[in-house]
Amino acid sequence: MVQSELTVHDIIEKIATFTNDPVPQITRLVYQESWTQAQDYLLGLAQKLGMDVAIDEMGNGILTIKGTKEGAVTLGSHIDSVVNAGKYDGVYGVAAAIVSVKELVEQYGQPTYDLQVLIFSEEEGSRFPMNFSGSLNVIDALPDIKQLQDREGFSFIEEREKALAPLKAKFPIGKAQMPISFAEIHIEQGPVLEIKQKQIGLVTGIVAQKKFTVTINGEANHAGTTPMSMRKDAFKHAIQLITYLENVAQQIGEPFVYTVGEIQLSPNVVNVIPGKAVFSIDVRHINAEVLDDFEEKLQAYVAKQETMIIVERWLNEPSEKMDEGFLSLLEEICHDKNSSYEKMASGAGHDTQVMNLVTKTALLFVPSRNGISHSPYEYTTAEDLERGKEILKEFIYRLAY
Amino acid sequence: MVQSELTVHDIIEKIATFTNDPVPQITRLVYQESWTQAQDYLLGLAQKLGMDVAIDEMGNGILTIKGTKEGAVTLGSHIDSVVNAGKYDGVYGVAAAIVSVKELVEQYGQPTYDLQVLIFSEEEGSRFPMNFSGSLNVIDALPDIKQLQDREGFSFIEEREKALAPLKAKFPIGKAQMPISFAEIHIEQGPVLEIKQKQIGLVTGIVAQKKFTVTINGEANHAGTTPMSMRKDAFKHAIQLITYLENVAQQIGEPFVYTVGEIQLSPNVVNVIPGKAVFSIDVRHINAEVLDDFEEKLQAYVAKQETMIIVERWLNEPSEKMDEGFLSLLEEICHDKNSSYEKMASGAGHDTQVMNLVTKTALLFVPSRNGISHSPYEYTTAEDLERGKEILKEFIYRLAY
């Protein structure tokens, strides 16, 4: 029967077709039509596979196989993407979770504890200035979202209701159980496993992160008639600050990462001196103190300027440590299955760090070709995808049966 | 009667109401609805004032008072704006031309030569990557526009036909006469007259200009997991080039001007390393050789880079000298009217430089408060507007009667 041939790879390829852009450019931001299509497909698939399905008020998908005892051994990941992304980020963890649960039930029947797969609605923070709204809702830690708007000024709540309407019409509303454990598998999104030629990454912790929006106000003026010495060019001031921080980042050194990924000038026209520049700053390190030092240098620079510079910090994630008992268990499983592995920190944020606030967690990586992610060039071999799923499945088996 | 009270200031305030943005933010790009409304208003006004009106295939407005002899003494300016502009740029020259012609006819009756006012459709190049499409069409020097598209991919020709349809339904199609002279009055858009406390600027020449689009291709990647030493950050490379050229500009020194007014990153998201950066360069100087040297340095820098950098030069305007006989006549008129004046070069391009290719031209400036232009803060006093119109009117009288 079709179900029994279902592979992680099949699900990833199917979800890749739900995108605003032509494949292989994946753009599936939370609550866009492509997002609704992906969630609808996965909930329908889980139903076919005999799982109980529901969605919560944020649009998280909740898939359950009842156990004989109380308590939910939980696994999952997210289905939203960044702009112009690849196929694997998030979706792999969802696909591996669904296939693992399906195969465990086929092979071992009813589990002792509930098997709960969570398909998180949003993790990337690429549409609204907020990350992890899906997993934060699951642990009842969602901040106030009433005022939240995307770049075009669309309201988070209105967009959410529009996107969920068709899903609520087809699937029951529910609430995720508080898990007794959480596991997630994800592509590494970095070059470490490939360079060290290891098959599995066992994550010891997730880096701390800060995200800022910086606004610089200058004076829009004519590009031809305003002597350069008389200008208040907001872009020029932005470049000076960005370059200063680049030097700060070089002094701190790797593994510290500093990224300016987004900038908007006003009026952004060839023959007008920019009157305003708004740009983003994203910094990460396993030690939160390093980020505090960076922020101090940023604030000190801004304080020295005559130009009006507004720095708004809208994300401040501490680092999170994964469960050491789970790490040992995973090492044991890798040995049993003759899979090479590397213990490593994660430079990317993952839903696991949110779940880590309420339960013991495990996070696994598989290699990313050339370490490329958040790009259409993102790629992991079907063999690596399958191997990762096998490790995850064995881990869930040992916890839930 | 209303007409006889018509002032330059009235017309400017009326045209300011035709904008995409709330006043005082003027945005009226060529062939937008606000543009059609402005041209429709001016053609209707000219009809009420007893002028023959027509539009040509580009949407230039052609207003004519017949003379007793062959030949058209011509004056005018443009009605399109940059994004988030002020009220005066271009529109002042149109308003001063209409009021001058109206008053000349009221005071002196039929002229010897035709009085021809041209309301140019586009001069700023802020919507499509092309300047002066209006005046270039008048002198039969319009380049091929078939492929021309704006940032959103709208076709120049399709947008033009959409915008002109309602005008063609109300007003006759015509063609401007080749002028026997051309005069334009404009706000200075710079600080010189204000600093030197002069009332009128008499323009000796218009600077040479070059405009470039630079495209830098890097590699989009995850902002958290890609070590900084392994990145191909297109924005970082763009900043290095922009900063290098800033130093080149400083070495050249004033009055050379260098502006990067526009930049677009892809995907332009906070947690993704920019894979692509596209930005504009605008350089101007009275000696075209200085711009050639700048371009050589730009090309030499690009040639040295490993990163893929594409430089496209899409504007290369030589400098233009205004007619010396007209300059002497204008100096004489300023003396007669006790108006202080300054002879100066124009750092901005104007339709006059295009008309200068086919006829003798004169270009006059009035002061701009704080030298601000291409901004909602653009401002010239009603007194200065009126004085400028008086000088222009006297100049036209001496040529046409």
Side-chain angles (χ1 to χ4, degrees), chain A residues 98-365:
Chain A
I98 291 173
V99 173
S100 294
V101 168
K102 165 188 173 291
E103 291 179 354
L104 284 170
V105 173
E106 283 171 358
Q107 292 169 39
Y108 308 105
Q110 183 179 30
T112 309
Y113 296 105
D114 290 0
L115 300 177
Q116 176 174 251
V117 173
L118 297 179
I119 308 171
F120 295 116
S121 53
E122 178 278 315
E123 183 258 11
E124 297 288 2
S126 292
R127 180 174 180 186
F128 300 93
M130 176 179 185
N131 293 63
F132 305 115
S133 52
S135 47
L136 284 170
N137 188 64
V138 166
I139 68 164
D140 299 325
L142 190 70
D144 183 4
I145 53 170
K146 284 190 203 64
Q147 302 309 318
L148 216 54
Q149 291 189 338
D150 68 10
R151 224 167 274 102
E152 283 76 40
F154 288 107
S155 144
F156 181 95
I157 289 175
E158 286 170 21
E159 289 296 288
R160 181 186 64 183
E161 294 323 306
K162 223 181 296 167
L164 296 192
L167 299 176
K168 288 176 174 174
K170 281 176 71 173
F171 304 102
I173 313 298
K175 182 158 178 34
Q177 295 180 66
M178 271 301 172
I180 58 173
S181 69
F182 180 79
E184 178 176 18
I185 190 161
H186 204 282
I187 56 169
E188 182 197 342
Q189 309 183 269
V192 176
L193 292 176
E194 188 176 64
I195 288 170
K196 300 198 172 183
Q197 299 190 297
K198 298 297 172 73
Q199 298 169 324
I200 299 290
L202 301 182
V203 177
T204 56
I206 295 174
V207 295
Q209 290 189 43
K210 291 191 183 195
K211 289 187 166 75
F212 306 86
T213 298
V214 180
T215 303
I216 299 186
N217 290 296
E219 194 163 81
N221 215 332
H222 192 291
T225 58
T226 314
M228 296 191 68
S229 58
M230 286 187 55
R231 300 181 172 200
K232 294 175 185 167
D233 183 331
F235 188 31
K236 190 173 162 181
H237 287 290
I239 284 175
Q240 287 165 350
L241 174 51
I242 291 165
T243 304
Y244 167 76
L245 295 174
E246 175 74 26
N247 295 333
V248 170
Q250 295 302 336
Q251 287 159 22
I252 296 171
E254 292 181 359
F256 177 77
V257 285
Y258 155 74
T259 306
V260 177
E262 186 176 355
I263 188 163
Q264 184 58 51
L265 304 181
S266 308
N268 204 37
V269 170
V270 55
N271 54 354
V272 183
I273 298 161
K276 189 177 180 188
V278 181
F279 63 93
S280 65
I281 296 174
D282 177 319
V283 287
R284 313 186 191 201
H285 195 279
I286 192 68
N287 301 323
E289 301 70 29
V290 175
L291 304 188
D292 296 337
D293 297 346
F294 175 91
E295 184 171 5
E296 271 176 30
K297 289 203 170 64
L298 165 59
Q299 294 294 0
Y301 177 99
V302 167
K304 285 203 308 293
Q305 302 301 306
E306 290 167 7
T307 326
M308 209 234 279
I309 304 181
I310 299 150
V311 176
E312 178 201 0
R313 190 190 66 215
W314 55 271
L315 184 81
N316 189 13
E317 293 284 342
S319 56
E320 292 292 333
K321 303 261 174 287
M322 310 300 92
D323 183 73
E324 294 190 354
F326 283 176
L327 267 173
S328 314
L329 177 57
L330 285 164
E331 288 187 84
E332 189 183 308
I333 292 170
C334 287
H335 282 301
D336 299 350
K337 292 191 171 289
N338 302 312
S339 298
S340 61
Y341 66 89
E342 176 76 15
K343 287 170 135 187
M344 60 194 294
S346 171
H350 293 292
D351 293 301
T352 296
Q353 76 198 59
V354 174
M355 303 311 287
N356 199 56
L357 301 171
V358 298
T359 189
K360 299 192 296 179
T361 65
L363 177 59
L364 295 85
F365 284 163

Side-chain angles (χ1 to χ4, degrees), chain B residues 137-275:
Chain B
N137 188 64
V138 165
I139 69 165
D140 299 324
L142 189 71
D144 182 4
I145 53 170
K146 285 190 202 63
Q147 302 309 318
L148 216 54
Q149 292 189 337
D150 68 9
R151 223 167 274 102
E152 284 77 40
F154 289 105
S155 143
F156 181 95
I157 289 174
E158 287 170 22
E159 289 296 289
R160 180 186 65 182
E161 294 323 307
K162 223 180 295 166
L164 296 192
L167 299 175
K168 288 177 174 173
K170 282 176 70 173
F171 304 103
I173 313 297
K175 182 157 178 37
Q177 296 180 66
M178 271 300 170
I180 58 173
S181 68
F182 181 80
E184 179 175 16
I185 190 160
H186 203 282
I187 56 169
E188 181 198 342
Q189 311 183 267
V192 175
L193 292 176
E194 188 177 63
I195 288 169
K196 300 197 170 183
Q197 299 190 298
K198 298 297 172 72
Q199 297 168 325
I200 299 291
L202 301 182
V203 177
T204 56
I206 295 172
V207 294
Q209 290 190 42
K210 291 191 183 195
K211 288 187 166 77
F212 305 86
T213 299
V214 179
T215 303
I216 298 186
N217 290 297
E219 196 164 79
N221 215 332
H222 192 290
T225 58
T226 313
M228 296 192 68
S229 58
M230 287 187 56
R231 299 181 173 200
K232 295 174 185 167
D233 184 331
F235 188 32
K236 190 172 162 183
H237 288 291
I239 284 176
Q240 287 164 351
L241 173 51
I242 292 166
T243 304
Y244 167 76
L245 294 174
E246 175 75 24
N247 296 332
V248 170
Q250 295 301 336
Q251 287 158 23
I252 296 171
E254 293 180 0
F256 177 76
V257 284
Y258 156 74
T259 306
V260 177
E262 185 175 357
I263 188 163
Q264 184 57 51
L265 304 182
S266 308
N268 203 39
V269 170
V270 55
N271 55 353
V272 183
I273 297 160

Side-chain angles (χ1 to χ4, degrees), chain B residues 64-172:
Chain B
T64 313
I65 294 291
K66 273 297 184 194
T68 55
K69 286 194 185 163
E70 283 298 305
V73 170
T74 305
L75 61 166
S77 193
H78 63 94
I79 56 162
D80 67 314
S81 80
V82 296
V83 174
N84 195 22
K87 299 174 183 175
Y88 303 89
D89 184 345
V91 174
Y92 171 50
V94 170
I98 291 172
V99 173
S100 294
V101 167
K102 165 187 173 293
E103 292 179 353
L104 284 170
V105 173
E106 281 171 358
Q107 292 171 37
Y108 307 107
Q110 183 179 30
T112 308
Y113 297 105
D114 289 1
L115 300 176
Q116 176 175 251
V117 173
L118 297 179
I119 308 171
F120 295 116
S121 53
E122 178 277 315
E123 184 259 9
E124 296 288 1
S126 292
R127 181 175 180 185
F128 300 94
M130 176 180 185
N131 294 64
F132 305 115
S133 52
S135 48
L136 285 169
N137 188 64
V138 165
I139 69 165
D140 299 324
L142 189 71
D144 182 4
I145 53 170
K146 285 190 202 63
Q147 302 309 318
L148 216 54
Q149 292 189 337
D150 68 9
R151 223 167 274 102
E152 284 77 40
F154 289 105
S155 143
F156 181 95
I157 289 174
E158 287 170 22
E159 289 296 289
R160 180 186 65 182
E161 294 323 307
K162 223 180 295 166
L164 296 192
L167 299 175
K168 288 177 174 173
K170 282 176 70 173
F171 304 103

Side-chain angles (χ1 to χ4, degrees), chain B residues 29-86:
Chain B
L29 308 189
V30 67
Y31 304 144
Q32 292 179 330
E33 192 181 358
S34 52
W35 176 94
T36 302
Q37 292 166 341
Q39 193 64 295
D40 178 62
Y41 168 79
L42 289 167
L43 292 167
L45 173 66
Q47 269 182 331
K48 285 204 213 81
L49 296 173
M51 304 180 190
D52 301 331
V53 313
I55 60 166
D56 68 10
E57 65 271 23
M58 296 298 282
N60 290 310
I62 305 156
L63 319 179
T64 313
I65 294 291
K66 273 297 184 194
T68 55
K69 286 194 185 163
E70 283 298 305
V73 170
T74 305
L75 61 166
S77 193
H78 63 94
I79 56 162
D80 67 314
S81 80
V82 296
V83 174
N84 195 22

